[in-house]
Amino acid sequence: MVFFTSDTHFNDPRILRIDRRPFGSLAEHDEALIARWNETVGPEDEVWHLGDFARHGKSNVEALLTHLNGRKNLIVGNNDASETTAAHGWHSVQHYRELIQETQLIVLCHYPFRTWNRMGKKSINLHGHSHGKLKPLTRQYDVGVDSWDFRPVSLQTLRGKRGLR
């Protein structure tokens, strides 16, 4: 199965203050996000993380990646330092990607687009960055953890809860 997520901000103390996430400490935040990721994603699943993964060094990012299920791909976000992008454990690292899933063209980027490839042909744009605060366009979905109970989301879930067609 393929999952999408964004804006986990592991090891980033600013996230509790800026986005008022409902956790008492950064350690509680990180533990909860790891647990929810692993409840959702199996070891053989694929995950596209659409940016702003973690802070505080390459070895810390590598340790996190070993604790998270699935084959992990990173779409680079504005808070992903070179230590994050260079960490071992990513299957791929890029700024933009187009995928075909279940005959659907999916355009992946950390940032939401105003327009995107094949928009008029029912392609969809999955993004992060806005932490659930941006009103989406038709066939545009924020896959950030703030919008999905702090866990990755599948296309099936998007179809069921947000009317994806």
Side-chain angles (χ1 to χ4, degrees), residues 1 4 8 10-11 28 30 43 55 58 68 89-90 92 102 106 125 139 147 152 155 157-158:
M1 197 159 189
F4 304 91
T8 48
F10 291 112
N11 297 315
E28 181 186 334
D30 290 358
R55 292 181 60 121
K58 184 178 175 185
L68 296 169
W90 295 116
S92 70
E102 303 170 21
I106 304 169
N125 169 224
R139 292 185 309 282
S147 298
L155 284 181
T157 300
L158 286 171

Side-chain angles (χ1 to χ4, degrees), residues 9-39:
H9 289 275
F10 291 112
N11 297 315
D12 187 349
R14 302 170 306 158
I15 200 65
L16 296 178
R17 178 178 41 82
I18 293 169
D19 282 310
R20 298 184 180 148
R21 291 189 176 171
F23 304 98
S25 69
L26 187 57
E28 181 186 334
H29 169 271
D30 290 358
E31 289 170 14
L33 267 65
I34 291 167
R36 292 177 188 192
W37 178 304
N38 289 335
E39 289 168 4

Side-chain angles (χ1 to χ4, degrees), residues 4-5 13 20 35 37 44 65-66 84 121 143 164:
F4 304 91
T5 193
R20 298 184 180 148
W37 178 304
E44 302 302 315
L65 289 169
T66 64
T84 298
K121 304 235 185 245
V143 297
L164 177 63

Side-chain angles (χ1 to χ4, degrees), residues 55-126:
R55 292 181 60 121
H56 298 301
K58 184 178 175 185
S59 62
N60 178 57
V61 171
E62 289 173 347
L64 272 167
L65 289 169
T66 64
H67 288 96
L68 296 169
N69 286 342
R71 184 175 65 183
K72 295 159 285 288
N73 301 279
L74 178 65
I75 301 294
V76 180
N78 59 301
N79 288 299
D80 292 317
S82 60
E83 294 88 0
T84 298
T85 61
H88 297 290
W90 295 116
H91 180 70
S92 70
V93 176
Q94 57 225 296
H95 289 271
Y96 175 93
R97 180 68 186 256
E98 293 182 5
L99 301 175
I100 303 278
Q101 292 289 308
E102 303 170 21
T103 72
Q104 178 89 57
L105 175 64
I106 304 169
V107 176
L108 307 175
C109 189
H110 178 64
Y111 306 101
F113 292 132
R114 182 97 168 143
T115 184
W116 57 89
N117 188 29
R118 299 188 64 203
M119 182 179 178
K121 304 235 185 245
K122 301 198 184 240
S123 66
I124 62 172
N125 169 224
L126 303 183

Side-chain angles (χ1 to χ4, degrees), residues 4-7 21 33 36-37 40 126-128 131-132 140-164:
F4 304 91
T5 193
S6 182
D7 300 293
R21 291 189 176 171
L33 267 65
R36 292 177 188 192
W37 178 304
T40 305
L126 303 183
H127 67 87
H131 295 258
Q140 181 180 63
Y141 303 90
D142 182 347
V143 297
V145 296
D146 298 285
S147 298
W148 297 100
D149 191 34
F150 303 100
R151 65 181 71 236
V153 64
S154 67
L155 284 181
Q156 291 80 2
T157 300
L158 286 171
R159 282 190 178 101
K161 294 196 177 180
R162 301 285 168 102
L164 177 63

